[in-house]
Amino acid sequence: MFVVELRFECFADTTITAAEKAINNLLEAYRANGQVLGREFAVAFNEGEFKVRMLLPEKTSLHPRNHSYWVKVALNDLTNAKILAPREKYIGQDINSEVSNVEQPSWQVLYTSYVHMCSPVRSGDNLLPIPLYHLPATFNGDHKRIIKWQTEWQACDELQMAAATQAEFAALTEITSHESDLFRRGWDLRGRIEYLTGIPTYYYLYRVGGESLVSEQNRTCPKCGSENWKLATPLLDMFHFRCEPCRIVSNLSWDHQ
């Protein structure tokens, strides 16, 4: 992933309020389309221009060919706030993040965790993140629903990893149960992505706990009850189970690995 600085210059008198609204709307549109990563953006005003540093999946993430309808609208709205289109200054490659997938995957998986900022849609061939703007818009012109699902999944994951409050158990249910609201929304998004791309797309169902290693190795698909989802060799050294009809992958419980 890559770090760039965006600079916004005013071409006529404006107000901080108008500039703030227009710039933040654009940044949020970029985020909803997967062109920038992260949740919070510090916009600084200095010497007559606004500056913000962004983390991008690719060097070319902000190229016009990747813009969603809402990004184009937000760019046009900059004019009403008397602001020119942003200029990019390349800072460098982020050494603490993953590179994006560049090859057409044979299959995909909806997978994230609380430590990941990248796209939750990953190649099944190498588990590298696929920039969301490379996919057809999932709903209403961009990928806001995928981003929202990812944010909720990560919040639950962070709660269960902290293991400090009773909220841990509710959060754990959301990411491990096929009957949870989080699973239902994510599994539906998975289906939408598969329909739009024509690429088999799976949902990662997190697994922890369990009685023993033997019981874990013999557990069935939670959605359809199939016994044939256990794999002889784990996929990507992580997924020990894959149910083709249900489009679910899962791991051997982390407590028994």
Side-chain angles (χ1 to χ4, degrees):
M1 298 178 191
F2 303 88
V3 180
V4 302
E5 181 178 81
L6 296 187
R7 298 181 177 184
F8 298 84
E9 293 184 59
C10 304
F11 63 83
D13 289 341
T14 187
T15 65
I16 293 293
T17 300
E20 176 188 24
K21 180 179 179 181
I23 292 172
N24 284 334
N25 283 345
L26 175 60
L27 300 183
E28 186 55 35
Y30 280 147
R31 179 175 180 262
N33 197 42
Q35 289 174 269
V36 302
L37 304 171
R39 301 182 191 177
E40 298 181 4
F41 312 109
V43 182
F45 179 68
N46 186 36
E47 298 181 351
E49 66 178 5
F50 299 87
K51 300 178 182 179
V52 57
R53 287 198 173 183
M54 320 291 299
L55 185 63
L56 312 183
E58 301 173 299
K59 278 188 179 181
T60 57
S61 294
L62 298 184
H63 191 282
R65 67 172 174 266
N66 298 322
H67 291 348
S68 68
Y69 167 79
W70 297 111
V71 168
K72 295 175 183 177
V73 169
L75 284 168
N76 288 333
D77 286 346
L78 289 176
T79 303
N80 298 329
K82 307 299 188 293
I83 297 175
L84 295 172
R87 294 182 294 116
E88 291 183 42
K89 178 183 177 183
Y90 176 69
I91 304 299
Q93 186 169 4
D94 179 39
I95 63 172
N96 293 318
S97 59
E98 299 173 88
V99 298
S100 295
N101 182 70
V102 295
E103 301 292 337
Q104 176 87 346
S106 60
W107 64 286
Q108 303 169 146
V109 58
L110 197 60
Y111 165 86
T112 191
S113 80
Y114 81 96
V115 298
H116 291 120
M117 293 176 61
C118 57
S119 166
V121 181
R122 293 177 174 252
S123 168
D125 300 319
N126 51 32
L127 208 60
L128 293 179
I130 301 170
L132 292 178
Y133 53 82
H134 285 327
L135 309 176
T138 42
F139 289 97
N140 300 322
D142 61 19
H143 302 287
K144 188 177 295 184
R145 291 197 190 181
I146 297 178
I147 298 294
K148 188 174 187 300
W149 171 86
Q150 180 182 28
T151 300
E152 293 173 350
W153 204 102
Q154 291 173 334
C156 290
D157 190 30
E158 189 163 10
L159 280 172
Q160 69 94 16
M161 289 298 292
T165 68
Q166 291 296 315
E168 169 198 356
F169 303 105
L172 192 58
T173 296
E174 287 296 323
I175 62 178
T176 60
S177 173
H178 71 289
E179 297 180 333
S180 71
D181 290 337
L182 196 58
F183 174 88
R184 176 180 55 79
R185 289 199 300 273
W187 196 80
D188 287 347
L189 283 169
R190 171 219 60 78
R192 178 70 174 168
I193 294 168
E194 178 169 322
Y195 171 78
L196 292 170
T197 62
I199 298 173
T201 306
Y202 294 74
Y203 183 97
Y204 168 59
L205 190 62
Y206 181 84
R207 177 67 176 177
V208 70
E211 296 180 359
S212 66
L213 177 59
V214 173
S215 65
E216 279 299 300
Q217 291 173 331
N218 293 317
R219 69 187 179 96
T220 60
C221 172
K223 191 170 176 63
C224 71
S226 172
E227 298 178 352
N228 299 321
W229 76 323
K230 183 182 177 182
L231 300 170
T233 304
L235 290 168
L236 303 168
D237 293 323
M238 179 176 178
F239 306 126
H240 300 80
F241 304 93
R242 180 166 72 172
C243 183
E244 297 290 346
C246 296
R247 291 293 200 252
I248 294 175
V249 293
S250 188
N251 60 286
L252 198 63
S253 171
W254 294 110
D255 289 341
H256 301 292
Q257 289 192 36

